[in-house]
């Protein structure tokens, strides 16, 4: 294993929040792939690159590669501390070498510093580093070696982010109870208004008016459509009742109906229950086609 690079004790500012986010969300396999792709080459020296690759490879060989870094660090704390330190070194923003005479005022390294001890605040460069870290949301760390950082004390609490809630696709349900009888009554009424006049030799001028309205309403009630479904059905019904929408009308004369039809179809598609009915019909059609072997 590569040896740690020795440096003079220093105070650094680093993006601890970014490192914690990587621990919670990334796996050793993902980090090693990014490392070998050169994503960290600009901020990581060759020794750190080789050491991090070796540590991650050891985790992968121990079947920890698909876990989050947080879980791998809990299983293998020794390598976890080293991996954490190297990741922190990648996100170092500034470094200040502390004189030996001033180091006696600091706690044992490595440790994060919530604030500078009073004697160190008298150093202008260090005070400027601390001010920049506070403004940028960075953390001050006191270290004696390049990859030594105090590991997070709340590692167990750093759970991965919760997955987005699973939204199950709505399934079409056959109408039952009162809703079923209402839909049947509406459909029978629509069919009757269409057939009865024909039996007496009368052809309605606009057969799409009440018959189509009742049949469409029966469908919307049967599938328990929402507001979008009723609005879309109304648009389609209006298209069918336009004065120009009749037999013998040229296609060019129907162009005013195209925007209304498009809006109606869009509203119907926005209704989850209409989409569920369409999936149900499509599955039934595909099932019958597979049974019969027809193309």
């Amino acid at each position: 294993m590569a040896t740690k690079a020795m440096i003079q004790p220093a105070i650094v500012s680093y993006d601890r929040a970014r490192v914690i986010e990587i621990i919670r969300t990334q796996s050793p396999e993902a980090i090693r792939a990014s490392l070998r792709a050169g994503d960290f080459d600009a901020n990581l020296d060759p020794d750190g690159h080789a050491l991090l690759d070796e540590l991650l490879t050891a985790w992968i060989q121990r079947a920890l590669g698909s876990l989050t870094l947080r879980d791998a660090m809990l299983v293998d704390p020794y390598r976890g501390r080293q991996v954490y330190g190297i990741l922190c070194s990648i996100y170092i923003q500034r470094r200040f070498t502390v004189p030996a005479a001033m180091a006696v005022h600091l706690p044992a390294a490595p440790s994060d510093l919530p604030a500078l001890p009073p004697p160190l605040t008298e150093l202008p460069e260090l005070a400027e580093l601390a001010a920049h870290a506070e403004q940028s949301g960075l953390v001050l760390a006191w270290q004696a070696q390049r990859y030594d950082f105090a590991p997070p004390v709340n590692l167990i609490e750093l759970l991965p982010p919760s997955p987005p809630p699973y939204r199950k696709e709505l399934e079409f349900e056959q109408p039952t109870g009162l809703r079923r009888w209402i839909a049947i009554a509406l459909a029978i009424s629509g069919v009757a208004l269409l057939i009865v006049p024909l039996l007496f030799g009368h052809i309605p001028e606009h057969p799409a008016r009440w018959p189509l309205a009742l049949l469409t309403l029966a469908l919307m009630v049967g599938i328990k459509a929402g507001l979008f479904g009723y609005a879309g059905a109304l648009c389609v019904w209006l298209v069918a009742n336009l004065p120009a929408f009749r037999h013998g009308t040229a296609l060019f004369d129907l162009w005013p109906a195209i925007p209304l039809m498009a809006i109606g179809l869009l509203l119907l598609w926005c209704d989850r229950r209409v989409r569920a009915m369409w999936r149900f019909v499509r599955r039934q059609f595909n099932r019958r086609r597979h049974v019969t072997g027809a193309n």
Side-chain angles (χ1 to χ4, degrees):
M1 180 179 294
T3 59
K4 292 182 179 179
M6 300 298 295
I7 63 169
Q8 188 173 352
I11 291 179
V12 300
S13 61
Y14 71 105
D15 191 348
R16 186 175 186 272
R18 176 59 179 154
V19 179
I20 295 299
E21 184 67 16
I22 291 177
I23 290 175
R24 296 174 63 239
T25 60
Q26 299 295 319
S27 67
E29 291 177 346
I31 293 296
R32 192 180 71 168
S34 299
L35 182 69
R36 294 183 175 181
D39 294 349
F40 303 130
D41 288 354
N43 300 323
L44 193 61
D45 56 80
D47 289 341
H49 190 285
L51 179 57
L52 182 58
D53 189 284
E54 184 176 348
L55 293 169
L56 295 173
T57 300
W59 271 347
I60 293 172
Q61 291 173 348
R62 291 188 57 188
L64 301 177
S66 59
L67 303 179
T68 61
L69 285 175
R70 174 255 188 193
D71 293 336
M73 291 171 65
L74 288 173
V75 174
D76 189 350
Y78 176 72
R79 288 190 178 93
R81 184 185 181 106
Q82 293 178 294
V83 170
Y84 178 77
I86 297 174
L87 291 176
C88 289
S89 70
I90 294 175
Y91 295 97
I92 289 178
Q93 300 293 322
R94 297 189 182 185
R95 178 187 301 275
F96 180 82
T97 302
V98 179
M102 291 289 186
V104 296
H105 301 287
L106 292 166
S111 62
D112 289 338
L113 301 175
L116 292 175
L120 297 178
T121 58
E122 300 175 359
L123 300 175
E125 294 182 9
L126 189 53
E128 195 274 334
L129 184 149
H132 175 267
E134 183 177 1
Q135 294 174 359
S136 304
L138 305 177
V139 176
L140 295 179
W142 161 237
Q143 58 175 189
Q145 295 178 333
R146 186 176 301 277
Y147 308 130
D148 268 355
F149 287 81
V153 296
N154 60 337
L155 186 59
I156 296 181
E157 301 174 6
L158 301 180
L159 298 174
S162 301
Y166 175 70
R167 184 181 179 182
K168 184 180 179 181
E169 287 289 347
L170 193 66
E171 294 293 334
F172 174 71
E173 299 177 0
Q174 298 282 356
T176 57
L178 181 61
R179 182 161 58 93
R180 177 182 181 182
W181 290 111
I182 293 176
I184 292 176
L186 291 171
I188 293 176
S189 300
V191 173
L193 288 178
L194 182 64
I195 294 179
V196 171
L198 295 177
L199 294 177
F200 289 94
H202 175 68
I203 300 178
E205 184 179 358
H206 285 287
R209 287 181 178 175
W210 283 109
L212 181 60
L214 293 174
L215 291 173
T216 304
L217 189 59
L219 178 62
M220 294 296 105
V221 171
I223 67 175
K224 203 176 181 179
L227 181 61
F228 285 118
Y230 282 99
L234 176 61
C235 292
V236 175
W237 180 79
L238 290 175
V239 169
N241 284 275
L242 291 176
F245 201 86
R246 62 176 64 193
H247 177 71
T249 303
L251 292 177
F252 179 78
D253 295 333
L254 295 176
W255 71 264
I258 295 177
L260 187 59
M261 177 63 76
I263 294 174
L265 293 177
L266 178 62
L267 290 172
L268 287 172
W269 183 252
C270 291
D271 194 295
R272 295 181 62 199
R273 296 189 181 277
V274 174
R275 295 201 305 271
M277 181 197 67
W278 169 248
R279 288 193 299 269
F280 173 79
V281 173
R282 188 172 55 185
R283 281 198 300 267
Q284 296 299 317
F285 177 78
N286 291 336
R287 185 179 304 169
R288 176 170 297 183
R289 185 180 62 179
H290 293 326
V291 170
T292 59
N295 294 323

